[in-house]
Amino acid sequence: MSWYVKELKKLTKRMTKECLERLTEVYKQGYTQISLDESISSQARIALNELNRKYSDKFSEEAKELVQKLLTKTNKYSSWQFTKSLKDMLGDKASGFSLAGSAITPEKSEIMKALLFENVSLIKSIPDEYFKQITGAVARSIENGEGLKSLTQQLKEFGAKSDRRAELIAQDQTRKAYNSINLRNFQDNNIKKFKWLHSGGSREPREYHKNVLDGQVFYVEEGAPNEKGKKPEFIYPGQLPYCHCVMAAVLDFED
């Protein structure tokens, strides 16, 4: 997760830094309203369009490679942690078990493709959202005559929001990838039940997860029942946005 956060924020910081520098240059040149092509507004619009295209392409190009690295790392770590946990529980008996490791089965491959698509889409949304915000800020700074001073502050604020958005995406998607791959490992190793473990790491925990699901045992193939009236009907730890909960394997030798 730390690695993914760091890599995504490198992209956002590069984008916000260049936008601030480029727009500062436009404003400091002090174009007058002699003609449309020489006005500050037209030059700012040209700069924004160029930067938007540049970073939309850059985020698209780097997103797929970055997410593939994340999934490879997550799969290896999940498989290692899964194997280690079972061996810790079973002790000497673990030698009699043949555990499916980090191999990419057809089922796991489909899960990773879905995770790849979702992650790439979220990463590509970062520059889309950022340029919508700063385009409005540029227009307002020209319309109200506040100029560069006001705009610089807003660009810094929007840059901080983009960093935070990248961080939240990285954290949420890492947890989702880890839990999705863990679930597949449970299925591949014929583990039929899991215990829901609520994480105390969230500032605003879901009360249902904390007070109802925590510590309860559910079937792997079904999942846990979601709150009444909410979709999906059944859920797994880490599936819902910003859920920090995890699942623990339950070994029931009587089944």
Side-chain angles (χ1 to χ4, degrees):
M1 184 183 291
S2 297
W3 170 83
Y4 197 29
V5 168
K6 181 179 178 181
E7 293 301 313
L8 270 190
K9 289 176 79 170
K10 279 183 185 178
L11 285 173
T12 60
K13 287 184 182 299
R14 198 185 316 164
M15 174 181 69
T16 57
K17 180 176 182 291
E18 183 172 355
C19 286
L20 178 58
E21 291 173 348
R22 183 78 179 275
L23 289 171
T24 298
E25 180 183 343
V26 168
Y27 275 67
K28 284 186 174 179
Q29 287 182 31
Y31 289 97
T32 60
Q33 292 290 130
I34 296 173
S35 70
L36 180 62
D37 290 338
E38 294 179 346
S39 68
I40 290 179
S41 59
S42 64
Q43 293 301 316
R45 174 177 53 78
I46 291 169
L48 284 172
N49 287 339
E50 290 176 354
L51 289 165
N52 195 343
R53 286 193 297 270
K54 175 180 177 179
Y55 282 98
S56 292
D57 290 344
K58 185 174 289 293
F59 272 69
S60 295
E61 290 168 6
E62 297 192 26
K64 189 171 183 180
E65 181 179 354
L66 191 58
V67 176
Q68 286 175 330
K69 287 181 180 178
L70 167 73
L71 295 177
T72 298
K73 288 174 179 284
T74 303
N75 182 48
K76 288 181 178 178
Y77 179 76
S78 171
S79 298
W80 172 82
Q81 187 67 45
F82 173 74
T83 302
K84 180 180 180 298
S85 297
L86 285 182
K87 287 182 177 179
D88 289 344
M89 284 190 289
L90 295 173
D92 294 338
K93 295 180 181 179
S95 60
F97 281 75
S98 177
L99 302 173
S102 59
I104 308 298
T105 62
E107 293 81 6
K108 187 181 285 187
S109 177
E110 288 303 313
I111 291 170
M112 294 176 78
K113 286 177 183 177
L115 289 167
L116 175 67
F117 177 78
E118 182 175 2
N119 271 256
V120 169
S121 296
L122 287 169
I123 292 173
K124 288 166 66 176
S125 75
I126 294 174
D128 291 344
E129 184 66 25
Y130 175 72
F131 281 101
K132 284 180 186 177
Q133 293 172 331
I134 67 171
T135 297
V138 168
R140 288 190 296 273
S141 74
I142 297 172
E143 291 165 4
N144 60 29
E146 292 183 357
L148 186 58
K149 183 178 179 180
S150 171
L151 180 61
T152 298
Q153 182 58 37
Q154 290 186 69
L155 289 177
K156 289 179 179 178
E157 291 174 0
F158 290 137
K161 287 182 180 179
S162 291
D163 281 352
R164 181 58 180 156
R165 178 173 169 76
E167 183 176 352
L168 290 173
I169 288 173
Q171 291 173 342
D172 186 53
Q173 291 300 305
T174 302
R175 282 189 290 265
K176 187 170 184 178
Y178 180 73
N179 280 295
S180 296
I181 292 172
N182 265 351
L183 175 61
R184 188 64 247 173
N185 282 335
F186 283 21
Q187 294 167 325
D188 288 344
N189 287 280
N190 200 33
I191 292 175
K192 298 179 181 179
K193 298 178 182 178
F194 72 92
K195 179 183 288 187
W196 188 294
L197 299 178
H198 173 73
S199 170
S202 175
R203 292 181 182 179
E204 298 180 358
R206 288 178 171 86
E207 293 299 320
Y208 181 73
H209 292 192
K210 180 180 179 181
N211 299 324
V212 178
L213 299 182
D214 185 39
Q216 299 299 311
V217 175
F218 305 98
Y219 282 98
V220 169
E221 292 302 325
E222 295 177 358
N226 199 357
E227 293 182 72
K228 188 175 181 179
K230 291 192 175 182
K231 297 292 184 179
E233 188 175 352
F234 290 90
I235 55 175
Y236 293 94
Q239 180 182 354
L240 298 180
Y242 310 117
C243 174
H244 294 197
C245 300
V246 295
M247 61 175 65
V250 174
L251 301 183
D252 191 345
F253 293 103
E254 293 182 359
D255 279 359

